[in-house]
Amino acid sequence: MNYNRVVCFDLEMCCWNNDGVGTTGEIIEVGLAEVDLSQGEIVKRAQYYVKPEKDEISGFCFELTGITPKKVQKQGRPLDQVMKSMIKNFGGPNKIYASWGRDDEILRQECLDKGLEFPFKEFLNLATLYRMKYRLKDKRIGHKAAQEQLNIEWEGRQHSGYVDAYNLAKLALAIL
């Protein structure tokens, strides 16, 4: 296990807003940004679009994420191929993966549903670590708000997996 490297990742899923209630479906984007803690820098980034097997990208989802059905049709690949690329380019069980919240559980469940091996062995929930470090016992805080509290500039469009993973990597460098 390489404890000097952490792969920050963010998922975007098909999503809908029905009568003010948000729901999510299959993963349509995985954004990754790897940090080298000893060097204090982001060393690698990637973005993968995933073709959903049964869900469709709604107008609400497009407005939120900027991901169009056409983009996913052209650039997307099945989840098993994306997982192979992630493991090849970032490592699987030999790396520590981190997200804001429980994206690992979302990915784990979708892998289970599709009969795929789950590639992570070590996982960090940076939201939990942040709340512990700054003694926010019962308070939930979003990724962007946490970053702003530390005066780390948010770059890019929120709800893009690629952008969110990059920003999470910047936050990880500040709190790990």
Side-chain angles (χ1 to χ4, degrees), residues 61-139:
C61 188
F62 163 69
E63 290 295 322
L64 182 67
T65 67
I67 300 171
T68 65
K70 186 176 183 179
K71 183 178 283 187
V72 169
Q73 278 305 313
K74 283 183 140 185
Q75 298 178 27
R77 296 181 291 149
L79 183 60
D80 66 328
Q81 290 179 21
V82 168
M83 299 298 282
K84 287 175 186 170
S85 293
M86 288 171 58
I87 292 166
K88 178 182 175 194
N89 295 318
F90 289 89
N94 62 331
K95 287 285 180 74
I96 299 168
Y97 282 75
S99 68
W100 190 266
R102 296 310 311 257
D103 281 10
D104 66 314
E105 289 299 323
I106 294 166
L107 184 56
R108 183 187 313 273
Q109 186 60 52
E110 192 159 330
C111 285
L112 182 65
D113 293 346
K114 295 180 177 179
L116 306 175
E117 185 178 337
F118 186 68
F120 304 134
K121 299 291 183 222
E122 292 284 335
F123 175 78
L124 296 174
N125 180 340
L126 294 178
T128 298
L129 291 175
Y130 185 90
R131 285 193 307 270
M132 290 170 68
K133 182 172 181 159
Y134 296 102
R135 308 290 188 255
L136 303 176
K137 292 179 188 172
D138 298 323
K139 296 179 188 173

